[in-house]
Amino acid sequence: MESPLSEVSPHSQTIIEERGKRIKLAAEISLARSSSGRHWARALRRRIYRKPSQRECIVKKSTPPLKKEVPLVAEVVADVAEEKEEIEDKVRALQRLVPGGEEMEVDRLFEETADYIEALREQVGVMRALACILDGMESRDGDKL
Amino acid sequence: MEDEIQPLLNSASASPSVPTSGASFTALLGLPPNRAVELLHEPTFPSDPALVDRAARFSVFAAAAAASASSAPSPEMSPPPLPEATKKRKDGGGSNGKAKVKKGKHAEEDTDGDNKLPYVHVRARRGQATDSHSLAERARREKINARMKLLQELVPGCSKISGTALVLDEIINHVQYLQRQVEYLSMRLAAVNPRIDFSGLDTFLSATTMECGRLTIGNAKVGTELDQQQQQPVWSEVGVSDSDQMNSTTNSKRSQIQLPQNQLQHFWHVDLLNTQSHLQPSVWERDAVTGSTAPHVQREEQQSFVGTGAVPLLAFDRVNPVAPPIQSNQQLKMEL
């Protein structure tokens, strides 16, 4: 599957996209493996190994960055209730973000989130480093062909 | 308990080049809370202050929410002084010692579904209700607050924010940001070099592996030598530990690749640039796995070297066994 392309044509764009998806899958797998004892990791694994039709992209499923929300139900109640509602919404959003989060209580959710964040950071670090390597290689070996 | 803890401790005290102390630490976290507390008092517990600190924090609500019935004949006395001290701190300035009532409570109410926490030790403050329900509530709330604090420290810039909602916002944004980074980096890796192909799952677990020298980036030169691979598809994993805080809890990852001995002239040196100042170089190591094994078995074996805190990585994957072998010494060309 090598094509010595110097410019990106539409065809190769799709190739890159496909490849990107596979890479992302590999990244998710290694993410899940790295903390295999964790609930979120097991849930992530389940999601990955399900049928591809059920597999959802992490990013697409996430909510847009949160702003202050106006409560949907008009309530003439004290602030406390509204605040609680807000907080509950955010907790639910977090549950959706963290794999396997829906089944967890809040305290467990926070614990899992902390671990998930750490694992994600490591993953990003590795991928970034890898990209560095490959960029270096690419520029260096471009003329060797 | 001892036999469960001992292997963890052994691996924790192993030399830094062994990548399992990360495993031991996060495995520690995975232990039931009462055991984590006990481990704290193990004399041989790894003396890394950061580890102990984190373990202590986790043990705070662990001990607050539970007293291990197995280890404490008298539950009232059992909570170690450590969580008590922390509890005092948490209660803040508003607490006067004489008004405090310490209640031990049997949890016939497993209201939270915390079925492994038989005891709740909660300090009732002055004027607060001390019936069992509100005690449970309070214990639970304190537990949640403790974990939220931990999360706050984890997310950069979150410690100055006050107010649960805003903190939660930050956390959510951070998680989304990280996920988007993964996505973006996948695309970037895909585009980086059309000649290098990272293949997917099917070959991820396949048979033999290839061995290499050290993988480090520098101002260095990519070695001109590359071991030649002729056999079945191989896979390997590279991992690098990231930020500073990671270094205290995890080790650098291992990748295991092994070269078929018949080929062998060359090997590949690339130096890995530290993207962060404390980044440890990843190491390509000899793997004991030889020959082709069933994918499942392979996966298990490969998993063993991965500490639970460590992140193994991407697969350099050689899909196509019929790919033309690498011709010249000078060409660094991986066909996958």
Side-chain angles (χ1 to χ4, degrees):
Chain A
M1 185 145 183
E2 67 287 322
S3 44
L5 300 165
S6 45
E7 74 258 300
V8 176
S9 63
H11 175 61
S12 66
Q13 187 66 34
T14 340
I15 292 182
I16 288 184
E17 277 174 16
E18 283 305 308
R19 197 180 290 146
K21 286 192 193 131
R22 290 201 303 269
I23 292 181
K24 179 157 182 242
L25 211 52
E28 289 182 7
I29 292 174
S30 53
L31 190 63
R33 277 186 173 204
S34 71
S35 318
S36 51
R38 286 288 180 167
H39 185 95
W40 66 261
R42 291 195 296 271
L44 181 59
R45 219 174 186 171
R46 262 176 270 137
R47 186 214 284 169
I48 291 174
Y49 288 110
R50 258 180 280 169
K51 288 178 295 197
S53 54
Q54 292 175 346
R55 203 182 296 157
E56 285 154 42
C57 186
I58 310 181
V59 175
K60 296 208 178 73
K61 203 180 172 210
S62 64
T63 57
L66 290 178
K67 305 166 272 243
K68 275 275 180 190
E69 291 175 351
V70 180
L72 296 174
V73 179
E75 287 180 1
V76 189
V77 201
D79 267 342
V80 183
E82 282 184 11
E83 275 181 30
K84 285 217 176 99
E85 178 77 24
E86 263 183 48
I87 292 182
E88 272 174 36
D89 285 342
K90 300 195 189 217
V91 169
R92 256 176 266 135
L94 188 61
Q95 274 182 325
R96 265 176 272 139
L97 278 181
V98 175
E102 274 99 353
E103 318 150 0
M104 281 189 248
E105 291 287 333
V106 185
D107 49 358
R108 183 104 180 274
L109 178 68
F110 284 170
E111 196 183 329
E112 295 283 320
T113 305
D115 194 74
Y116 185 52
I117 287 180
E118 280 185 8
L120 272 178
R121 277 210 197 127
E122 292 178 354
Q123 183 76 20
V124 167
V126 177
M127 292 175 80
R128 213 178 268 152
L130 207 53
C132 272
I133 300 179
L134 295 175
D135 278 344
M137 273 175 43
E138 191 177 21
S139 59
R140 218 166 290 140
D141 293 337
D143 35 337
K144 276 190 185 173
L145 290 175
Chain B
M1 177 207 69
E2 280 301 324
D3 32 319
E4 185 181 331
I5 307 292
Q6 214 43 48
L8 296 177
L9 291 180
N10 286 340
S11 57
S13 51
S15 70
S17 63
V18 175
T20 47
S21 60
S24 68
F25 174 62
T26 20
L28 168 68
L29 292 185
L31 291 178
N34 46 0
R35 293 187 177 175
V37 171
E38 284 166 9
L39 191 57
L40 255 193
H41 300 283
E42 278 277 351
T44 53
F45 190 81
S47 55
D48 190 325
L51 283 184
V52 178
D53 205 50
R54 274 198 79 192
R57 259 189 245 125
F58 273 88
S59 76
V60 165
F61 34 81
S68 148
S70 58
S71 71
S74 66
E76 293 283 313
M77 313 279 291
S78 75
L82 175 67
E84 299 237 278
T86 338
K87 265 196 119 41
K88 278 192 185 124
R89 249 188 289 129
K90 281 202 297 190
D91 283 345
S95 59
N96 16 9
K98 35 190 170 176
K100 282 200 189 143
V101 172
K102 180 163 165 229
K103 289 188 88 75
K105 180 172 57 113
H106 295 269
E108 264 101 24
E109 14 131 276
D110 278 342
T111 47
D112 299 340
D114 289 348
N115 37 18
K116 33 183 183 168
L117 310 174
Y119 277 108
V120 176
H121 287 265
V122 177
R123 212 148 261 213
R125 286 181 218 147
R126 196 185 175 91
Q128 282 187 337
T130 53
D131 58 300
S132 53
H133 285 300
S134 52
L135 274 179
E137 261 309 299
R138 205 174 319 127
R140 187 163 161 266
R141 251 181 279 134
E142 286 180 4
K143 201 163 123 182
I144 292 182
N145 285 339
R147 299 201 187 184
M148 168 104 60
K149 238 175 263 160
L150 208 67
L151 267 179
Q152 260 187 299
E153 293 171 20
L154 209 55
V155 176
C158 215
S159 9
K160 352 175 185 150
I161 301 183
S162 54
T164 321
L166 294 172
V167 166
L168 275 178
D169 263 348
E170 267 314 301
I171 294 174
I172 290 178
N173 288 339
H174 192 62
V175 172
Q176 286 179 329
Y177 161 74
L178 287 173
Q179 289 175 340
R180 267 182 278 130
Q181 283 285 91
V182 171
E183 176 93 11
Y184 158 73
L185 282 168
S186 317
M187 282 303 159
R188 178 173 163 196
L189 283 171
V192 83
N193 188 341
R195 290 173 300 136
I196 298 183
D197 204 306
F198 297 97
S199 189
L201 284 179
D202 40 334
T203 47
F204 196 68
L205 306 173
S206 50
T208 44
T209 49
M210 147 182 94
E211 98 181 326
C212 259
R214 236 193 143 124
L215 181 76
T216 39
I217 286 184
N219 22 9
K221 38 228 169 123
V222 175
T224 55
E225 310 170 319
L226 177 64
D227 259 307
Q228 201 167 358
Q229 167 68 19
Q230 272 192 352
Q231 287 190 7
Q232 281 300 319
V234 327
W235 67 281
S236 58
E237 289 181 330
V238 176
V240 174
S241 70
D242 197 5
S243 57
D244 313 316
Q245 69 192 93
M246 292 299 105
N247 280 331
S248 59
T249 55
T250 63
N251 270 332
S252 63
K253 287 54 131 202
R254 306 279 131 168
S255 48
Q256 301 184 12
I257 349 192
Q258 221 183 27
L259 282 168
Q261 296 302 319
N262 46 8
Q263 269 326 310
L264 233 290
Q265 300 312 333
H266 319 289
F267 52 106
W268 175 30
H269 287 290
V270 176
D271 280 337
L272 179 66
L273 181 67
N274 288 354
T275 51
Q276 314 249 346
S277 51
H278 298 279
L279 204 62
Q280 300 174 31
S282 58
V283 174
W284 298 67
E285 270 197 344
R286 283 158 205 261
D287 183 21
V289 176
T290 52
S292 69
T293 52
H296 176 70
V297 175
Q298 186 80 357
R299 184 204 311 196
E300 288 310 306
E301 281 173 327
Q302 292 299 335
Q303 249 183 354
S304 62
F305 72 85
V306 174
T308 37
V311 179
L313 251 272
L314 271 207
F316 281 99
D317 215 332
R318 307 198 147 215
V319 183
N320 193 356
V322 250
I326 292 159
Q327 302 301 338
S328 86
N329 295 355
Q330 305 307 318
Q331 250 181 2
L332 190 63
K333 182 176 174 191
M334 294 204 310
E335 311 208 63
L336 302 165

